[in-house]
Amino acid sequence: MAMRVVFPADYFQARQPDEAFSDQAAAFAAHGWGVSTFTFDGDRVFRPALVPGETVLYRGWMLDEAGYRAFVDAVGGSGARVLTPPEAYLAAHHLPRWAPLLADVTPETVCFTDLDALPGALAALGWDGFFVKDFVKSLKTGAGSRITRPDQIGELLARMAHFRGQIEGGVCVRRVEALDPASEVRFFVRAGRAFGAEGAAVPDLVRDVAGRIASPFFSVDIARRADGVQRVVEVGDGQVSDLVGWTPAQFLAVWAG
């Protein structure tokens, strides 16, 4: 299967990948992959052109559902195909898709699309703390995404809309658990097989999760709770997951063979 990786193009030099992905692009090229760029904000052209029949891995910024479907259409229009179809992308990218499948190994999660009723809905949960995200991301700036009272949700959503530009899909609240942030580790799963950075041992929890998500390529973040139990903190589409704790060379090992 001929593989090509596509990166977002640099704004000023369309044939060059965005600087944030230049090291990854160089690593893939050095290992014999075809490497192209795509101008998402421009003429929407692949440079160099895709080869009909090859399979495309995207590595770049997060795309919302409409944006990813449009990218898939552009790939198909060039005669190639994506490694990850839209439904598989959403299976790992949207929290409401994967959280129910991992309910026994991740903090309790409830998702809402009616945002006007949120204060009352949160009060009904009776939790001591809430970690708030839209369907994809939490808020990293300012006071962050954690609140302790339902009446704080309006202010948090306003900050999310301001800093994120949108609230994608709806809102998910996760019950706060005593997780050690220093213990958080990212793994990648390709074709059902889990990989750790630099060959690190893969915990049984990650191997279990690898078989539950209907995606050919995704990331899994786990952390240790205060009682020592490992918990799934996050799942994400592997194409748009940062290399947290990984080097480009280590990431290439996921694709060896």
Side-chain angles (χ1 to χ4, degrees), residues 149-160:
R149 302 193 319 271
D151 62 2
Q152 297 170 319
I153 188 65
E155 179 186 353
L156 174 55
L157 294 184
R159 286 190 283 115
M160 287 179 68

Side-chain angles (χ1 to χ4, degrees), residues 95 99 106-111 127 172-175:
L95 180 57
T106 198
E108 187 176 353
T109 303
V110 182
C111 298
W127 296 351
C172 297
V173 294
R174 313 198 73 194
R175 193 167 192 165

Side-chain angles (χ1 to χ4, degrees), residues 71-139:
F71 174 74
V72 171
D73 288 345
V75 171
S78 297
R81 60 182 180 273
V82 292
L83 174 73
T84 303
E87 286 305 309
Y89 176 78
L90 296 175
H93 189 56
H94 275 184
L95 180 57
R97 302 283 188 111
W98 62 260
L101 304 177
L102 307 180
D104 57 323
V105 295
T106 198
E108 187 176 353
T109 303
V110 182
C111 298
F112 304 90
T113 53
D114 181 2
L115 306 190
D116 292 335
L118 268 178
L122 298 192
L125 291 175
W127 296 351
D128 294 330
F130 309 84
F131 188 79
V132 183
K133 308 178 60 169
D134 64 13
F135 281 12
V136 179
K137 292 184 71 176
S138 58
L139 185 63

